[in-house]
């Protein structure tokens, strides 16, 4: 298995075979986390979109289920959302309640169409998501005359006693509401001149309320995908922090503030799980670990694309304002194996701190870098993260090589860029490695960098101080394994 399929991750969700992109319909229902996804089961490149489907109880061990939605006469099934209708407000799921899935119907193109004509559809399930029935009145929300009208996120808004739908309207999002989930009324739009834009539509919005850590306040977060000009050219995920009154989202920050959920190349179309029970209380998020400019060319076998590791989101006050912070889900701890503790104290240039760790592993460090120093983490021989302190600032450089002889991949996949981390301070670092990815969370998860890696085999990995010196306050490696 490993030999023919060296990149199939051990801990990241992948489709059994075929092509996958965005996570869809993330919902917790009757003890299970549901994960649907944009799926082309007949090929390893994007094609007629289905909703693939899997369930898990721990967010890390997934059971594949039959396809939830397949294209029909109305068209393909693009991205969307799922949510419980426990009180049968739609009248579709009966007194026991059930699940609703809102998705974009992408119809066949006619002459002159630049994109697939899009409208919003509804399907529902009364058996825990095993079988889905299309709503007879589809489309539940017809297209108001836009080329890009897709990726509905729907949730129940208790204060206004309405369902809310956030959906892409070109380079904006539209907010609609409905008392019964069937009859939708336009309320407002958000996005003109706000945050980052490129020449293409925003995609995959998400909107949710989140507490401000350590206070009695809360804010609303609006997440949207940028297709081609994110922090680094390619696909990426930005967010806005603001208020929502049931009809309108108002940005707390100035319109030109751009906040990125991830600074890597491979974190897109992220969505959060709906209906996570209050006693759990987490806001859980998942992203598609790829990037449109080379997504169809990545060098995997009979499957293509993995999801990020599920993470929790928290909103914390920082010197720059409220910022989302991410952490890997605690469920991972059940798979962590004996750690290798690194010696603490001052470490000088040329010192190798660790090498040759397992193919799925977690590195956790707390450190302080001296001026002029560099710590290099190479998860493979073809990529590295370099944490540095230069001219009184901390920074992170990400370099990735690797060519496979396929033009789109070779042109867009390699990179070399930096991220400014601000004034020097002690930093925490949490790095999760799997067979084709590195997810780096820095500074208590305030900065995240998710990168695909298609490196050498066997891996040449190392952690070394390249220049200057640092003080290691704490450090260890954990192997991640599914066997006891
Ligand atoms: C985002 C996206 C969505 C669309 C889906 C189609 O990656 O382009 O906007 O619904 O993928 O697969």
């Amino acid at each position: 298995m490993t030999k023919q399929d060296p990149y199939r991750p051990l801990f990241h969700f992948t489709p059994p075979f075929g092509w996958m992109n965005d996570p869809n319909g993330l919902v917790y229902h009757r003890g299970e986390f549901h994960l649907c996804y944009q799926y082309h089961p007949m090929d390893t490149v994007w094609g007629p979109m289905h909703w693939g489907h899997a369930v898990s109880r721990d967010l890390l061990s997934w059971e594949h289920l039959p396809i939830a939605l397949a294209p029909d006469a109305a068209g393909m099934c693009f991205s969307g959302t799922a949510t419980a209708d426990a009180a049968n407000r739609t009248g579709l799921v009966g007194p026991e309640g059930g699940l609703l899935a809102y998705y974009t119907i992408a119809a066949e193109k006619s002459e002159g169409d630049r994109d697939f004509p899009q409208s919003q559809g509804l399907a529902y399930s009364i058996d825990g998501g095993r079988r889905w029935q299309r709503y007879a009145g589809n489309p539940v929300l017809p297209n108001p005359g836009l080329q890009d009208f897709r990726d509905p996120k729907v949730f129940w808004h208790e204060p206004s006693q309405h369902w809310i739908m956030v959906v892409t309207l070109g380079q904006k999002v539209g907010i609609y509401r409905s008392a019964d989930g069937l009859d939708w009324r336009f309320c407002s739009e958000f996005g003109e001149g706000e945050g980052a834009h490129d020449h293409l539509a925003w995609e995959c919005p998400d909107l949710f309320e989140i507490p401000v850590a350590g206070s009695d306040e809360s804010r609303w977060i609006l997440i949207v995908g940028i297709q081609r000009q994110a922090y680094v050219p390619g696909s990426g995920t930005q967010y806005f922090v603001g208020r929502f009154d049931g009809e309108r989202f108002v940005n707390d920050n100035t319109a030109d503030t751009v906040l990125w959920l991830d600074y890597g190349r491979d974190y897109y179309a992220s969505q959060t799980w709906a209906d996570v029970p209050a006693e759990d209380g987490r806001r859980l998020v998942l992203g598609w670990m790829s990037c449109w400019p080379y997504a169809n060319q990545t060098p995997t076998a009979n499957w293509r694309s993995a999801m990020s590791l599920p993470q929790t989101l928290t909103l914390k006050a920082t010197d720059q304002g409220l910022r989302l912070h991410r952490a890997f889900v605690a469920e991972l701890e059940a798979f962590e194996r004996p750690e290798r503790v690194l010696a603490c104290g001052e470490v000088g240039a040329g010192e190798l701190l660790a090498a040759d760790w397992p193919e799925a592993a977690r590195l956790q460090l707390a450190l302080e870098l001296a001026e002029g120093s560099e710590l290099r983490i190479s998860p493979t021989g073809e990529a590295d993260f370099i944490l540095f302190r230069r001219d009184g600032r901390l920074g992170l450089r990400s370099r990735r090589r690797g060519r496979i002889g396929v033009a789109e991949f070779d042109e867009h996949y390699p990179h070399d860029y930096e991220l400014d981390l601000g004034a020097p301070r002690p930093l925490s670092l949490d790095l999760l490695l799997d067979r084709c990815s590195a997810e780096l969370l820095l500074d208590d998860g305030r900065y995240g960098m998710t990168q695909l890696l298609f490196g050498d085999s066997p891996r040449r990995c190392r952690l070394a101080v390249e220049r200057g010196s640092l003080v290691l306050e704490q450090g260890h490696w954990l192997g991640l394994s599914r066997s006891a």
Side-chain angles (χ1 to χ4, degrees), residues 19 21-22 24 38-39 46-47 49 77-80 104 118 150-151 168 202-204 227 268-269 288 292:
W19 162 273
N21 55 292
D22 317 351
N24 298 152
Q38 288 287 278
Y39 189 33
W46 190 89
M49 281 292 107
C77 306
F78 274 15
S79 285
T104 296
Q118 298 161 15
R150 60 178 178 272
D151 308 341
T168 287
W202 279 1
E203 294 185 318
C204 302
Q227 298 191 50
Y268 195 57
W288 174 47
W292 277 116

Side-chain angles (χ1 to χ4, degrees), residues 30-215:
R30 298 181 186 157
E32 293 177 319
F33 291 98
H34 289 256
L35 160 52
C36 295
Y37 52 92
Q38 288 287 278
Y39 189 33
H40 182 17
M42 275 82 78
D43 206 341
T44 50
V45 290
W46 190 89
M49 281 292 107
H50 301 58
W51 276 32
H53 191 188
V55 287
S56 172
R57 289 183 181 271
D58 68 356
L59 294 159
L60 295 168
S61 314
W62 294 96
E63 179 194 343
H64 292 291
L65 295 183
I67 284 168
L69 298 172
D72 65 1
M76 300 184 273
C77 306
F78 274 15
S79 285
T81 195
T83 180
D85 181 11
N88 193 22
R89 293 190 169 95
T90 55
L92 296 173
V93 292
E96 305 289 307
L99 284 174
L100 310 177
Y102 291 88
Y103 62 100
T104 296
I105 302 167
E108 252 176 60
K109 285 188 203 170
S110 320
E111 230 184 287
D113 283 337
R114 274 185 295 145
D115 207 343
F116 304 97
Q118 298 161 15
S119 59
Q120 313 322 320
L122 169 61
Y124 53 95
S125 166
I126 53 167
D127 61 356
R130 268 48 182 185
R131 281 168 304 163
W132 293 87
Q133 180 77 35
R134 245 80 160 198
Y135 170 52
N138 275 344
V140 74
L141 181 58
N143 190 313
L146 294 166
Q147 181 186 298
D148 299 295
F149 180 56
R150 60 178 178 272
D151 308 341
K153 172 79 183 194
V154 174
F155 60 93
W156 176 253
H157 185 245
E158 194 61 31
S160 66
Q161 292 290 298
H162 276 80
W163 299 97
I164 307 296
M165 181 190 292
V166 201
V167 61
T168 287
L169 309 179
Q171 293 206 11
K172 298 177 276 197
V173 295
I175 296 174
Y176 291 73
R177 71 180 204 164
S178 168
D180 61 5
L182 306 175
D183 183 21
W184 292 90
R185 182 174 71 76
F186 175 79
C187 294
S188 66
E189 55 183 39
F190 172 84
E192 179 111 45
E194 304 264 0
H197 291 263
D198 59 14
H199 62 294
L200 297 171
W202 279 1
E203 294 185 318
C204 302
D206 194 355
L207 178 65
F208 53 88
E209 190 175 15
I210 190 166
V212 178
S215 84

Side-chain angles (χ1 to χ4, degrees), residues 254-391:
T254 54
D256 60 356
T257 305
V258 177
L259 305 177
W260 296 106
L261 190 54
D262 193 280
Y263 292 89
R265 306 286 312 283
D266 302 296
Y267 191 85
Y268 195 57
S270 84
Q271 288 285 304
T272 62
W273 262 277
D275 304 331
V276 174
E279 59 272 23
D280 179 320
R282 290 177 296 176
R283 180 53 62 171
L284 295 160
V285 67
L286 189 74
W288 174 47
M289 239 178 1
S290 198
C291 181
W292 277 116
Y294 48 80
N296 279 280
Q297 289 84 33
T298 53
T300 52
N302 62 346
W303 57 279
R304 196 169 260 135
S305 292
M307 295 300 179
S308 71
L309 206 88
Q311 296 166 343
T312 53
L313 286 177
T314 45
L315 186 64
K316 296 185 185 173
T318 73
D319 50 355
Q320 294 174 308
L322 296 173
R323 295 291 183 268
L324 286 176
H325 288 58
R326 292 188 286 159
F328 301 116
V329 290
E331 283 84 345
L332 198 57
E333 284 162 24
F335 301 94
E336 292 173 353
R337 298 295 173 249
E339 53 183 272
R340 178 121 58 87
V341 178
L342 309 180
C344 292
E346 183 158 338
V347 193
E351 282 196 54
L352 182 67
L353 290 168
D356 303 328
W357 46 81
E359 54 186 353
R362 185 173 187 182
L363 166 68
Q364 293 177 306
L365 305 176
L367 53 90
E368 217 165 332
L369 287 169
E371 177 64 31
S373 57
E374 280 185 10
L375 173 70
R376 177 142 76 105
I377 310 166
S378 307
T380 75
E382 292 183 328
D384 29 49
F385 296 109
I386 300 165
L387 207 51
F388 61 85
R389 179 166 159 185
R390 191 199 299 146
D391 303 329

Side-chain angles (χ1 to χ4, degrees), residues 397-423:
R397 178 174 178 192
S398 177
R399 285 196 305 200
R400 186 169 74 180
R401 296 166 287 278
R403 293 177 199 278
I404 58 169
V406 176
E408 293 91 330
F409 187 89
D410 293 356
E411 182 183 341
H412 297 289
Y413 175 81
H415 64 233
D416 186 348
Y417 66 95
E418 289 182 5
L419 170 65
D420 180 32
L421 302 172

